[in-house]
Amino acid sequence: MAPRVLRHALARPLAQAVLAAGVGLTGMSARAAEPLQFPQDTPVAVQVSLWKPGMRSGLTQPVFHNFMAQVQFSGEPAVITCALRLPDIEGEIAPGQSAEIALRCTQPFRVAPGQPDFKLYAQGRPIGQGRLQAMPLQQVMNAASAAASQP
């Protein structure tokens, strides 16, 4: 398949999937929207907050690039294992801090429309929370639409 044809073949389904996610994340009518499916090993932009030790559990030490955590999205029964991919591979996120990172999960997962929140666990203990980022998804959608419209 020629690169231009391949780009068109991939761009339309990607734009439709991202549009469905954007509808769910922005609070617009999402009743007809299907859950957004993410393949395994696909980096997904998220905002995470790690909890300090306390009533909700939490961490005593920072996490580093590729820290493996268990993630459970709102409305989903499954808990999946994901690597926390920091923008700076030498960086860290300390308990009590928030950061924009990428999740890279070891298995496919889905996110229900309007439910982009998730909980983070380590060794069965809750350590934080997070949320899919709508802005990077919107940027992906715009790029996919632009690629689809090029001859």
Side-chain angles (χ1 to χ4, degrees):
M1 188 179 282
R4 193 166 91 196
V5 174
L6 178 61
R7 184 172 53 217
H8 287 292
L10 295 175
R12 187 168 308 277
L14 177 62
Q16 290 170 343
V18 173
L19 178 59
V23 167
L25 292 175
T26 59
M28 296 170 64
S29 177
R31 288 187 184 187
E34 295 291 320
L36 181 61
Q37 304 285 332
F38 290 93
Q40 72 183 50
D41 294 325
T42 301
V44 179
V46 297
Q47 170 81 30
V48 296
S49 298
L50 298 180
W51 298 332
K52 292 181 179 182
M55 293 176 55
R56 294 187 285 185
S57 201
L59 290 170
T60 58
Q61 298 184 354
V63 298
F64 299 93
H65 182 71
N66 274 338
F67 177 84
M68 298 303 282
Q70 290 73 49
V71 176
Q72 184 175 25
F73 281 91
S74 297
E76 294 295 321
V79 176
I80 56 174
T81 301
C82 302
L84 305 183
R85 307 286 305 237
L86 280 57
D88 175 7
I89 62 171
E90 301 293 325
E92 65 181 44
I93 307 170
Q97 291 184 330
S98 296
E100 291 184 10
I101 64 166
L103 283 183
R104 190 169 189 156
C105 300
T106 60
Q107 61 198 61
F109 67 97
R110 66 186 198 168
V111 177
Q115 296 184 341
D117 298 322
F118 58 87
K119 294 272 178 103
L120 287 172
Y121 298 88
Q123 300 174 349
R125 291 183 20 235
I127 62 168
Q129 62 191 22
R131 181 178 187 89
L132 286 177
Q133 291 294 294
M135 183 55 82
L137 291 174
Q138 184 64 40
Q139 290 170 350
V140 169
M141 184 179 73
N142 291 343
S145 296
S149 66
Q150 291 181 359

